[in-house]
Amino acid sequence: MNFSDLELDRHLCEAAMQLGFIEPSAIQQQTIPNILKRRDLLALAPTGSGKTAAYALPIVQLGKRSIVLVPTRELATQVGKVFTQLCRLLNDPAKIVVAIGGLSINPQMMQLRGGADVLIATPGRLLDLAQHNAVRLNEFEIVVLDEADRLLSLGFADELNAIAKQLLKQRQTLMFSATFEDKVKTLAESLLRNPLRLEVLAKGIDKPDITQRAICVDDKRRTQLLAHLIKQGQLVKNIGNATDHPVTSQEPTEQSGEHPWHSVLVFVASKYGASHVAEKLTRQKIKAQAFHGDLSQGARTQALDDFKHRRCDVLVTTDLAARGLDIKDLPVVINYDLPRSANDYTHRIGRTGRAGARGLAINFVMPEQASHFKLIEKRNQFKVERENVAGFEVAGFETLGNV
Ligand code: AMP
């Protein structure tokens, strides 16, 4: 199937092709015709499934004024970029405004003068703008909730309710979520009208090819192990040689010549931890930066930009970067600290193996977290063999889940 089979404007099809989208992904095939028919939608779409274009293409084609609500500033910027790229070849491109917290509100108010066709916003800032009369929410005919589960887990429920009260009743609402827990269900029931429910579990870009590993390590030796793995450059190529256990999973292909570990995203549990680990790696002459919510917006943008453009090899972050971030060609994700929930795990590892590329996710499993990791495995229905890395062995590691 081609984009042109989806009754999309040829300029939009051409722009999608220029972005390297040869054929529509499963979610795009299913959602685009239905959005064009003005159906409400509840789509259960895994991370990296191509959901942004799945709503952006039909929204631009319909030419209806739209709000896209997203959980994080980074995702807002990214979604804004996708809209801009898709509009590139249109004679009369949509006016796209990204409104996010952490930046001065005045320039955003100025941008909203004369209206916006597509307003991409985080909930708090959208409410601020509405309170300042910079935007009237009842003038928008389409509302998208992107990563609805994340919006709720970040505590935006009150803001979403306040926004919903100001929205047009006769609107089209599109909700995307990676998971469908009760909170999401309740929100969907309150916002959507007779929605089409879609669940996407498909191949190709929809189903990331990610090798998962679990290395046992003691708490105090984790940073050394991290530095060791990165320095050895064995992360993608051949970590198996350094272990006592044979590697059971498929080896990812080397993705970038002599520096297969060129980009490594490391997840830690706290903002302090992110800075601390990044500093320690830097001391070992590894180009690492921290990325977390306490940094100024400027510093966040800079860190992400450095990482995306390979000026920095390792980004150490909290769950802030777990969802929505689209970093092209990210071969390795490391859980230095395990995520709290099985859902978070899916989102974290979903940063690698995107858009058809292969990825590697490594988990550091400390003895005290062995049962927590088992639970994550059980909930997500996978099982990986525990490994010991030479020089970092943990006594009795066989009991950390191998049996
Ligand atoms: P998303 O789920 O919207 O974050 O998209 C995940 C990744 O897939 C992004 O890098 C997109 O550029 C890419 N992508 C989206 N649609 C397609 C497509 N039809 N073919 C190939 N790549 C795509």
Side-chain angles (χ1 to χ4, degrees):
M1 181 187 272
N2 295 317
F3 279 98
S4 49
D5 298 326
L6 296 171
E7 291 175 31
L8 287 169
D9 180 281
R10 73 185 165 84
H11 291 110
L12 287 174
C13 297
E14 183 62 31
M17 293 286 282
Q18 286 184 6
L19 288 176
F21 303 178
I22 293 158
E23 53 179 28
S25 67
I27 182 139
Q28 290 160 357
Q29 290 181 24
Q30 293 182 58
T31 55
I32 291 172
N34 285 296
I35 298 174
L36 290 174
K37 283 187 203 132
R38 310 301 315 274
R39 289 275 322 247
D40 275 13
L41 189 81
L42 175 58
L44 215 60
T47 178
S49 57
K51 64 186 163 51
T52 317
Y55 62 76
L57 283 165
I59 281 180
V60 174
Q61 165 126 344
L62 286 166
K64 302 285 179 196
R65 299 187 66 194
S66 306
I67 291 178
V68 181
L69 283 166
V70 294
T72 63
R73 308 173 205 169
E74 284 73 24
L75 184 57
T77 311
Q78 202 166 287
V79 169
K81 223 185 213 168
V82 173
F83 268 98
T84 308
Q85 286 169 332
L86 291 173
C87 287
R88 192 162 48 187
L89 303 175
L90 299 177
N91 294 328
D92 184 19
K95 180 175 169 192
I96 295 148
V97 175
V98 174
I100 49 184
L103 294 175
S104 157
I105 198 168
N106 290 333
Q108 293 173 6
M109 289 173 65
M110 297 283 281
Q111 271 186 294
L112 283 168
R113 278 202 192 146
D117 297 317
V118 179
L119 174 56
I120 300 146
T122 45
R125 180 51 58 99
L126 184 67
L127 277 179
D128 282 351
L129 287 164
Q131 269 152 21
H132 282 84
N133 293 320
V135 61
R136 270 200 290 273
L137 302 186
N138 61 8
E139 290 179 349
F140 291 84
E141 294 174 80
I142 302 178
V143 176
V144 180
L145 283 96
D146 197 349
E147 307 212 348
D149 49 348
R150 181 69 166 158
L151 280 163
L152 291 170
S153 71
L154 285 175
F156 283 128
D158 290 346
E159 281 88 348
L160 292 177
N161 284 333
I163 288 168
K165 284 195 189 120
Q166 300 180 43
L167 290 172
L168 204 60
K169 291 230 159 24
Q170 292 296 324
R171 63 171 190 269
Q172 184 179 12
T173 312
L174 314 171
M175 196 157 143
F176 293 81
S177 186
T179 55
F180 196 51
E181 62 243 76
D182 285 348
K183 282 192 293 189
V184 179
K185 222 180 273 181
T186 311
L187 183 70
E189 277 161 11
S190 76
L191 293 179
L192 302 171
R193 264 189 325 176
N194 185 26
L196 180 74
R197 251 195 82 162
L198 292 175
E199 189 166 345
V200 179
L201 296 167
K203 297 195 270 326
I205 72 155
D206 307 288
K207 193 162 182 282
D209 181 1
I210 303 170
T211 299
Q212 299 173 74
R213 298 258 178 93
I215 299 179
C216 303
V217 60
D218 279 321
D219 176 17
K220 295 216 160 40
R221 309 216 54 209
R222 281 181 298 167
T223 314
Q224 276 164 288
L225 174 63
L226 182 62
H228 169 77
L229 294 174
I230 293 169
K231 280 186 175 168
Q232 298 272 308
Q234 290 178 328
L235 290 171
V236 174
K237 209 163 46 179
N238 200 11
I239 200 172
N241 285 353
T243 67
D244 289 342
H245 268 259
V247 174
T248 47
S249 41
Q250 219 178 359
E251 287 290 338
T253 47
E254 198 175 308
Q255 293 180 12
S256 67
E258 56 180 350
H259 295 296
W261 49 272
H262 61 75
S263 297
V264 181
L265 186 64
V266 178
F267 282 102
V268 297
S270 66
K271 297 168 191 165
Y272 169 78
S275 302
H276 186 66
V277 172
E279 257 167 48
K280 283 202 159 167
L281 292 177
T282 308
R283 261 186 251 144
Q284 302 221 26
K285 305 220 175 345
I286 291 169
K287 281 195 226 156
Q289 286 191 38
F291 178 76
H292 56 70
D294 272 358
L295 300 176
S296 69
Q297 186 57 35
R300 277 164 69 166
T301 309
Q302 183 66 50
L304 202 55
D305 206 53
D306 286 349
F307 189 58
K308 284 185 174 178
H309 293 95
R310 312 250 174 102
R311 290 186 292 270
C312 144
D313 297 326
V314 183
L315 197 68
V316 190
T317 186
T318 59
D319 277 304
L320 175 67
R323 300 201 193 199
L325 275 196
D326 180 27
I327 299 159
K328 290 246 166 357
D329 191 15
L330 173 64
V332 187
V333 166
I334 297 186
N335 284 323
Y336 179 100
D337 285 307
L338 292 176
R340 273 187 299 271
S341 72
N343 273 342
D344 287 342
Y345 181 83
T346 309
H347 284 290
R348 282 185 180 189
I349 73 164
R351 297 309 101 210
T352 182
R354 285 169 81 73
R358 297 173 108 187
L360 172 63
I362 293 184
N363 297 286
F364 285 181
V365 182
M366 299 183 291
E368 53 275 28
Q369 289 190 321
S371 55
H372 182 54
F373 190 64
K374 263 190 182 172
L375 204 66
I376 290 175
E377 286 182 312
K378 198 167 147 211
R379 292 252 161 88
N380 286 339
Q381 297 177 354
F382 73 100
K383 181 121 188 64
V384 290
E385 199 158 336
R386 307 297 184 265
E387 302 171 14
N388 248 339
V389 170
F392 296 88
E393 291 88 351
V394 177
F397 86 101
E398 299 81 5
T399 56
L400 301 182
N402 263 343
V403 287

